[in-house]
Amino acid sequence: LQVHDGTFPDFYRAAGPARQRLIRRLLRIPDTVVALSEGWTAYFRDTLGVRRIAVVPNGLPVARLHETLADRGRLGIAPHRVAILFMGTASAALDEAKGLRDLVEVIATLRIHHPELLLVLAGAASHAAWLPQRLGPAGDGWLALGPIDPDTRAVVYRSVDIFALPSRAENMPNTVLEAMAAGCAIVATSVGAVPEMLAAGAAGRLVPVRDPIALHRALEELVTTPALRRDLGGRAGARAAACYDMPVIEHTLGALYESVAPGIVRRHSGPLS
């Protein structure tokens, strides 16, 4: 059983005593519960009493993102702008939970002294009704790219200066993995597996949930220090290649399947019919 829901602790807390007992019982049925990080392993072990746990993080093809060329002109990002990317969703409520409004409020304050800042939004335009009130007209303090295809997605990551995810809850967000693989400087909240992904802050800036002062400081430090952005982006890219590249994850997952059901990988490793 692999658990990928970052809101699972909220689900469990709200379940009530009888359903909590059922959840704990069900989690003991699989041969192994697969968590995405050591932090999640501790949660399943200490809170839910699960004993057979393995860690298999999410993965992605790192080289495809890292080798994609930036193209700020195609996206409408002027050379002098410092672009902060928020990767949105199709849901206004989910964007809110991922910290979009918190990020906008901080950027609005930062732009008083750093007018070169530009918030770049990918995804559906859940912000259209209120964003101009805080950052002015489109193209001034913000730029909406709309939904983007996979190829454009890689270009976007490579074309911005900072990736921000001030989310309130996550498991192991693929957007952070993508930003790491692209070599972005990252600012994210310490939720789910994010602290481990960013090596406890060595490969990106970590801030507490709903702490606008900490978010402001972290972003301002990166906005005003291009060398730091390059350093953190380089560390993030190296960590993505070493820990989260798809061949690494496939090997780890294959070894786990072999330990549970010997021979299963060899029996099913041929071409699909």
Side-chain angles (χ1 to χ4, degrees), residues 74-195:
R74 169 184 167 189
L75 301 175
I77 304 173
H80 71 282
R81 306 301 296 268
V82 177
I84 300 177
L85 173 65
F86 179 87
M87 192 62 71
T89 71
S91 163
L94 189 53
D95 283 352
E96 181 85 12
K98 289 182 175 293
L100 175 57
R101 196 176 295 267
D102 300 335
L103 179 62
V104 167
E105 292 300 323
V106 169
I107 289 178
T109 303
L110 281 169
R111 276 180 46 81
I112 295 172
H113 298 291
H114 303 285
E116 72 277 15
L117 270 184
L118 177 71
L119 174 62
V120 177
L121 292 146
S126 67
H127 52 275
W130 57 268
L131 192 56
Q133 301 170 13
R134 300 300 296 129
L135 296 180
D140 182 13
W142 60 284
L143 174 67
L145 302 177
I148 53 177
D149 59 57
D151 291 335
T152 304
R153 193 178 182 95
V155 173
V156 171
Y157 281 109
R158 291 289 287 167
S159 299
V160 298
D161 301 287
I162 301 167
F163 173 78
L165 182 65
S167 188
R168 298 166 193 170
E170 294 285 347
N171 195 328
M172 185 178 184
N174 282 326
T175 54
V176 172
L177 271 183
E178 291 166 345
M180 291 174 67
C184 290
I186 298 168
V187 176
T189 41
S190 296
V191 292
V194 174

Side-chain angles (χ1 to χ4, degrees), residues 1 25-33 52:
L1 173 66
R25 190 174 303 159
L26 290 172
L27 286 172
R28 295 188 183 106
I29 292 174
D31 291 279
T32 304
V33 170
R52 293 171 295 185

